Amino acid sequence: MLAKVRSVALVGLDAHVIDVEVDIAGGLPQFSVVGLPDATVRESRDRVRSALKNTGFHFPAKRITVNLAPANVKKEGAGLDLAIAIGILVAEEVIPAERLDQCVLVGELSLDGQIKPISGALSIGLVCRERYQLLLPARNGPEAAMIDQVAVFGLHTLPEAVAFLRGERHLEPERTDRRQWCSATPQDDDYGDVRGQDHAKRALEIAAAGGHNVLMVGPPGSGKTMLAKRLPSILPLMEFDEAIETTRVHSIASQLPADHPLLTVRPFRSPHHSISDAGLIGGGTIPRPGEVSLAHNGVLFLDESPEFRRPVLDGLRQPLEEGAVILTRVSGSLRYPARFMLIAAMNPCPCGYYGYRSKECVCSPYQIRRYRAKLSGPLQDRIDIHIEVPPVPIRELHDVGAAPETSSRIRARVVEARKRQAGRYDEEGIHTNAQLKPRLVKRYCGLDADGQDILEQSMIRLGLSARAYGRILRVARTIADLAGSDRIDALHVAEAIQYRNLDRRVEF
Ligand SMILES: Nc1ncnc2c1ncn2[C@@H]1O[C@H](COP(=O)(O)OP(=O)(O)O)[C@@H](O)[C@H]1O
Ligand SMILES: [Mg+2]
């Protein structure tokens, strides 16, 4: 008999509903899967056979053909096991066929018939919305149930699934209290912990407000990691849509913590410099989102950035330009979102101590030049703010005086500044000052005579390139927004220039 059940295939971030047709015919025992399955799907046969036998179901000694349609969608992963097993039972008339009309089944089977979690549950919930009931591993239930208008049933074992589909067992649909997850989640990392570093903290506030990328230069132990890690705590909270998008990426990459069906705190990703291109940008034989996509709507921190291999840094160009990664594959192209704030950190020289009194630098001028040149190129046009992060004197670290300002207060100012930008750029299709293209810089970052004067003089005095000009204007625009001013004053320009001062030392 012929049976048809539904399952899904993941392509990039999206789930596609596919048909799993199972035909059981007489002839020599055989079990084949056709319709663009990859190796992991073909292995499904062995798991399905064992799972059925070990849970007391009859595995037909006949010719079984499984067809996955449409044939042009590449199917990968173990998530089709459950649908194939149920398909066989429908073809064998153990389960009534009508019951499957409204269902999508996903789950990996273990040999003893347990249903094991899969990746991408949120995307699967989205594609089932308003159309199908979703039967999936119990562990993935809360995640899929984040989507409303879809009935989600979490399952533990194959016999449980069969009993449910035969109407012998009642299951309650999963419920997830969205509000519980969407309310502000307290964060452990707070700028209240960082002593001193007022200059760096101010620069990061500006960066957060305008969405600017930042380069921090300082010796080891000066607090660069500490400062960067706290950036998500002053960024606006994720909107529900953003949270869904970011969670989908983490879910597809199998990186979603089991107790967190929805990520609400902006991600902070800090890949090691030995990372591969595929690890950072995404890809691989079974394509997975890379670190840039896991940082979507959050922060990507490249510590010791000159140590990253050049092709890896070059790969950042596309996500920085387009907010997404497009991977071209034989079976079509995949798109993963990758809109993040980039924070790059570096030591002033290979040994780390050039220009600081704490330790003597042992690098030659040539080594220093080469080290600094490594970052130029891929990132040069994309980093608006450069800051130096000198170590905080020990005396200040122990200072029991006034406590530093907390992240929530800084965030309140950032949110205000972002609102001003959103209003101004309503019709431009952008959100922040950092996204201003040269044409728009002209339109929105006009200076008065004083501002113009200061900028021109400083450019000459500091030997800044024409490239720096637009970046200073964008940052000045953000400083004005933080001050609640429509006009960019000379003071705003003067401050913006400070975040380019490194130009002479680290030429970009
Ligand atoms: N300004 C500061 N206030 C409080 N602690 C600090 C400060 N700067 C550094 N530290 C301490 O020093 C440690 C090392 O800082 P880290 O951020 O790892 O430095 P870097 O990344 O520049 O090498 C931090 O974990 C923190 O405990
Ligand atoms: Mg560090």
Side-chain angles (χ1 to χ4, degrees):
M1 195 198 147
L2 178 72
K4 192 172 104 175
V5 300
R6 284 191 199 83
S7 190
V8 293
L10 293 168
V11 180
L13 269 206
D14 296 320
H16 294 257
V17 174
I18 60 164
D19 289 333
V20 177
E21 296 167 348
V22 180
D23 181 46
I24 302 189
L28 287 176
Q30 196 196 349
F31 188 177
S32 56
V33 181
V34 298
L36 212 62
D38 79 343
T40 49
V41 177
R42 284 193 294 267
E43 285 168 4
S44 183
R45 290 174 301 183
D46 298 330
R47 285 190 300 268
V48 167
R49 184 187 289 118
S50 302
L52 283 170
K53 284 186 172 166
N54 291 333
T55 48
F57 293 104
H58 172 65
F59 186 82
K62 296 180 194 161
R63 215 183 65 184
I64 306 175
T65 311
V66 175
N67 179 37
L68 309 173
N72 61 353
V73 178
K74 175 104 178 145
K75 291 92 182 173
E76 45 209 352
L80 294 170
D81 292 359
L82 181 63
I84 295 175
I86 297 291
I88 290 174
L89 295 176
V90 173
E92 289 280 274
E93 299 181 12
V94 174
I95 298 171
E98 315 79 68
R99 181 65 184 86
L100 274 305
D101 285 349
Q102 307 297 323
C103 293
V104 164
L105 303 160
V106 230
E108 176 181 343
L109 289 174
S110 65
L111 302 187
D112 63 355
Q114 304 281 329
I115 299 177
K116 297 202 291 186
I118 41 112
S119 57
L122 198 55
S123 299
I124 297 169
L126 272 171
V127 74
C128 292
R129 181 181 217 166
E130 291 180 14
R131 291 162 69 200
Y132 301 111
Q133 281 185 2
L134 174 58
L135 276 62
L136 86 178
R139 268 271 305 280
N140 299 115
E143 186 190 333
M146 274 296 161
I147 309 292
D148 34 60
Q149 295 165 322
V150 52
V152 175
F153 297 94
L155 301 164
H156 299 87
T157 64
L158 182 58
E160 185 187 16
V162 175
F164 176 64
L165 289 168
R166 282 165 58 96
E168 291 162 359
R169 176 148 188 199
H170 175 76
L171 291 178
E172 281 296 319
E174 286 283 338
R175 300 217 180 284
T176 306
D177 182 6
R178 270 194 193 191
R179 268 168 319 175
Q180 176 201 337
W181 295 104
C182 297
S183 55
T185 326
Q187 277 167 268
D188 300 336
D189 297 320
D190 197 290
Y191 281 112
D193 310 332
V194 183
R195 301 239 152 227
Q197 298 295 23
D198 291 342
H199 178 66
K201 282 196 254 183
R202 167 73 178 161
L204 290 169
E205 175 177 340
I206 295 166
H212 305 282
N213 299 323
V214 180
L215 172 70
M216 297 196 285
V217 183
S222 63
K224 300 183 293 296
T225 305
M226 194 182 188
L227 285 161
K229 205 170 169 190
R230 284 163 176 71
L231 192 55
S233 72
I234 60 168
L235 288 168
L237 292 172
M238 279 204 276
E239 303 281 337
F240 185 69
D241 291 355
E242 291 180 300
I244 290 277
E245 253 186 350
T246 301
T247 306
R248 284 174 74 188
V249 178
H250 285 248
S251 171
I252 298 268
S254 307
Q255 297 242 353
L256 197 62
D259 54 351
H260 260 82
L262 189 71
L263 298 176
T264 44
V265 176
R266 289 182 189 271
F268 175 82
R269 304 295 300 189
S270 170
H272 188 254
H273 54 71
S274 62
I275 194 168
S276 66
D277 316 12
L280 187 67
I281 310 302
T285 2
I286 294 183
R288 288 277 172 270
E291 288 291 330
V292 293
S293 295
L294 291 166
H296 181 56
N297 288 324
V299 176
L300 180 70
F301 178 54
L302 300 185
D303 207 355
E304 321 229 0
S305 45
E307 304 289 343
F308 283 77
R309 286 180 305 109
R310 187 61 189 258
V312 174
L313 291 178
D314 279 339
L316 285 172
R317 253 180 242 260
Q318 187 185 47
L320 285 173
E321 282 298 324
E322 298 175 25
V325 170
I326 292 140
L327 301 171
T328 317
R329 335 241 339 145
V330 184
S331 54
S333 65
L334 296 180
R335 185 174 187 281
Y336 292 123
R339 204 169 349 94
F340 53 84
M341 271 180 71
L342 176 71
I343 308 291
M346 67 190 281
N347 295 333
C349 65
C351 84
Y353 295 97
Y354 177 76
Y356 296 95
R357 253 169 269 144
S358 49
K359 237 179 180 181
E360 195 152 350
C361 170
V362 296
C363 308
S364 71
Y366 171 72
Q367 280 174 318
I368 296 176
R369 251 202 327 275
R370 222 180 56 154
Y371 179 76
R372 292 177 180 183
K374 270 194 177 163
L375 254 202
S376 59
L379 304 183
Q380 61 189 2
D381 277 330
R382 290 273 127 213
I383 297 185
D384 287 342
I385 294 181
H386 292 183
I387 43 169
E388 241 184 294
V389 183
V392 170
I394 305 223
R395 190 172 16 88
E396 256 180 71
L397 281 182
H398 292 297
D399 191 3
V400 282
E405 198 176 26
T406 60
S407 290
S408 67
R409 295 190 51 182
I410 306 174
R411 177 191 273 150
R413 295 194 295 266
V414 168
V415 168
E416 280 310 307
R418 289 247 176 162
K419 273 192 203 141
R420 296 180 70 86
Q421 296 166 68
R424 189 163 61 230
Y425 303 137
D426 200 20
E427 288 174 3
E428 306 287 0
I430 59 171
H431 307 287
T432 57
N433 295 326
Q435 295 170 319
L436 287 171
K437 296 259 183 305
R439 180 177 58 84
L440 296 178
V441 169
K442 261 204 200 108
R443 182 179 310 167
Y444 290 108
C445 305
L447 298 182
D448 56 17
D450 282 352
Q452 195 64 41
D453 246 21
I454 291 190
L455 184 51
E456 275 165 23
Q457 282 172 25
S458 313
M459 302 247 335
I460 296 166
R461 189 164 44 84
L462 298 171
L464 296 180
S465 60
R467 205 180 252 142
Y469 187 80
R471 291 186 226 149
I472 291 174
L473 288 178
R474 286 198 289 257
V475 173
R477 181 63 266 170
T478 303
I479 295 170
D481 284 329
L482 273 170
S485 162
D486 285 334
R487 269 195 10 220
I488 303 179
D489 291 342
L491 266 177
H492 305 143
V493 179
E495 186 180 354
I497 291 166
Q498 289 183 28
Y499 305 115
R500 298 304 311 177
N501 257 346
L502 285 172
D503 271 32
R504 284 167 307 162
R505 297 187 40 181
V506 186
E507 184 50 56
F508 265 77

